[in-house]
Amino acid sequence: MQMKSGRPAILAVSLLTATASTASAASATVNGHAALALAGVVALYSPLLTSDEREAVSALFVGQSGVRYAKKISVTADKIVCRISNVDITARSCELTFKGAKQTITGRRASEIFATEVMAGIPADGAAGSVVESLSKLNCTLDPAEIRKKAGGGADCTFETGN
């Protein structure tokens, strides 16, 4: 009797492959200090914010309690990809995409974005000689009135990881 064990094996491999590819992009949420930090480092480069919004986010991020901006602020980005090299230890960069427009940040400011992504729980991905942190569909909402209360609320971000 001849067994046809090839089909179940192919089916199992196909299911595992499909599961792995759908698990590569995962939705995530952060709030509190990590959300304020993430919004704070991204807002600096966002062409989507007004100068008043950018100034308010910056002031909130550095702990200025006198921020009187009244409306909620939305900090968004299509994609953020940061890379550091573990071979050329001086190499660090982040590419930020806002409504299709890309900006490349290097050096200390790229390190700040990279470290903030780590603090927000974005998983690292490695390639030969580099470590990559990436997210997409970033949407942070800051409520200055709630943040001024200093009770841990007022900052929430959602994004997708594993891009």
Side-chain angles (χ1 to χ4, degrees):
M1 182 165 132
Q2 182 179 4
M3 295 183 73
K4 296 186 178 184
S5 62
R7 284 188 183 178
I10 291 172
L11 179 60
V13 169
S14 297
L15 288 173
L16 286 172
T17 304
T19 303
S21 64
T22 53
S24 64
S27 294
T29 301
V30 296
N31 52 43
H33 69 89
L36 178 58
L38 191 55
V41 297
V42 173
L44 182 61
Y45 306 102
S46 176
L48 308 176
L49 296 174
T50 67
S51 61
D52 286 345
E53 289 171 325
R54 208 174 356 270
E55 188 176 310
V57 173
S58 179
L60 290 167
F61 184 42
V62 299
Q64 293 179 1
S65 58
V67 176
R68 295 292 171 219
Y69 195 84
K71 297 184 277 183
K72 290 183 180 180
I73 302 167
S74 181
V75 178
T76 62
D78 299 334
K79 191 170 192 174
I80 301 171
V81 179
C82 293
R83 289 178 171 77
I84 59 171
S85 175
N86 53 13
V87 176
D88 177 1
I89 62 171
T90 66
R92 57 191 42 82
S93 67
C94 293
E95 186 175 82
L96 292 83
T97 306
F98 302 96
K99 297 283 184 192
K102 293 182 181 182
Q103 292 185 46
T104 300
I105 312 301
T106 59
R108 171 181 270 172
R109 291 190 172 195
S111 278
E112 291 170 350
I113 298 168
F114 185 93
T116 304
E117 286 184 332
V118 170
M119 181 175 59
I122 297 160
D125 191 16
S130 66
V131 179
V132 179
E133 295 274 340
S134 65
L135 63 86
S136 63
K137 300 178 184 176
L138 176 67
N139 187 359
C140 297
T141 302
L142 303 179
D143 182 346
E146 189 65 31
I147 293 170
R148 277 194 302 272
K149 293 178 183 177
K150 299 191 182 295
D156 301 285
C157 296
T158 61
F159 50 87
E160 290 186 5
T161 63
N163 301 307

